[in-house]
Structures are given as structure tokens and as C-alpha cells.
Amino acid sequence: METIVKGISKPLQKNERKMGSEAPAISLTMQSGESKVIGMLATKVQVMITLPYHDSLSPALFEITQKYHEQAFIYFIGPQPLDQSINPACTSVDFEELAKKFGVYINETLCAKSLFIINKDGQFVYKEITSDVEDAFDLEMFETKLHEAIHFKKKGHVHENWMGA
């Protein structure tokens, strides 16, 4: 895969993640100073948003993340602190390991613009990597997939079915 940076095509390095595959566990130092392990199994859906620049977070994406912030763990990761005031426990400039493991690493100062949704079972259920770091995300699709992931109910037997009631 590749992305375009200021008109120049740049290869994305390291691992490409496929839908349904298991998310890697990654330790991140958040801007609050705390260390968090993200990926894997979690009590809520997780959203990893990598942004290449301090001004890459659009007002529309910010609005969607605010709408769902109580129902999902939403993390903003990139090489620069964002211009917007966001909970420092949800933002990190410790981007290199995540960018490499998620296949959005460009170099030591830059990552691709991407969205990843990881379900409670620790599997990738949605990803979007823009073809140009300046491009906008498909926010309608992102919000639809996030809503679906948050409200997903596992199928299987319920107690009444198991008991033959």
C-alpha cells in the first residue's frame, strides 16, 4: 500500500491489517503520561485514528468521536499534538509502534491518515487509509460501521433455548 504526501507517493511500511484479523496489542504512552495497552480484547469497541499533522482532525470527525466517546474507546495517534482540545488520556504522539503494526508508517516523523475499528473480541471490523494524507475520510461509512460495531450482538444460544423452554 501507499499514500500520497505533498504530491509524492510514499510506501506504507510494515504490516497490512486485514478485516477479521486479530488486532495486535500495543503499549502507548498517552499525552496524560499514562501508559495504555490497546488492541486485543476490550470491554468496549476500540477506534484507532492516526493523523499525520496537528491540524488533520476535521470538525466533522471530531463531532462523530464526541457522539460515541462514551460507548467506545477512541484514540487519536500521530506524530504531532492535535490543535483541538481532546482528553489527553485518549491522545498520543507515541505513534511509531502502532503505525508500523497497523501498516500506516511512512517514516519517523509521519504516518498515514487512517481509521481502524476493533470489536470487543479484538478483531478488525473496519479500516480506512486515505490515498492522500490530505484527503477526507468517508465519515458516513465510518459512523455506520462504528454504530454497527458498538451495537453488535453475538449470536448463540440463550439460556431459554439451551434449556429447551
Side-chain angles (χ1 to χ4, degrees):
M1 276 201 77
E2 60 186 32
T3 193
I4 297 171
V5 179
K6 297 185 183 353
I8 299 168
S9 182
K10 301 277 187 178
L12 295 178
Q13 299 177 37
K14 305 296 178 189
N15 302 320
E16 182 181 344
R17 294 296 167 179
K18 301 199 180 327
M19 292 307 89
S21 69
E22 193 172 291
I26 297 167
S27 178
L28 277 182
T29 301
M30 307 312 285
Q31 287 190 290
S32 63
E34 73 180 294
S35 183
K36 287 188 179 180
V37 176
I38 59 175
M40 341 182 310
L41 295 169
T43 57
K44 295 181 188 177
V45 167
Q46 298 172 80
V47 179
M48 311 300 167
I49 302 171
T50 64
L51 298 169
Y53 307 118
H54 63 93
D55 60 354
S56 295
L57 179 56
S58 72
L61 176 57
F62 181 72
E63 187 177 309
I64 292 169
T65 62
Q66 291 303 294
K67 180 177 175 181
Y68 291 96
H69 83 276
E70 300 225 354
Q71 298 168 292
F73 296 121
I74 301 174
Y75 301 104
F76 297 92
I77 302 114
Q80 304 170 354
L82 296 172
D83 288 349
Q84 290 86 343
S85 178
I86 297 174
N87 181 347
C90 299
T91 62
S92 179
V93 293
D94 182 17
F95 79 100
E96 287 189 54
E97 182 185 5
L98 181 132
K100 287 176 181 176
K101 287 188 175 181
F102 281 50
V104 295
Y105 182 82
I106 298 172
N107 60 41
E108 61 280 346
T109 63
L110 195 60
C111 63
K113 191 174 184 181
S114 70
L115 295 166
F116 292 90
I117 300 174
I118 301 168
N119 67 15
K120 292 178 189 178
D121 292 332
Q123 298 171 319
F124 289 103
V125 294
Y126 179 75
K127 86 173 178 181
E128 180 180 355
I129 302 171
T130 62
S131 57
D132 186 313
V133 294
E134 302 296 331
D135 287 351
F137 291 118
D138 180 345
L139 295 178
E140 187 175 321
M141 179 63 78
F142 167 62
E143 186 169 9
T144 297
K145 294 297 185 181
L146 179 56
H147 182 83
E148 287 173 4
I150 289 169
H151 295 94
F152 178 78
K153 300 276 189 251
K154 271 190 175 181
K155 291 193 169 45
H157 77 275
V158 292
H159 182 72
E160 291 77 19
N161 291 342
W162 180 75
M163 295 295 290

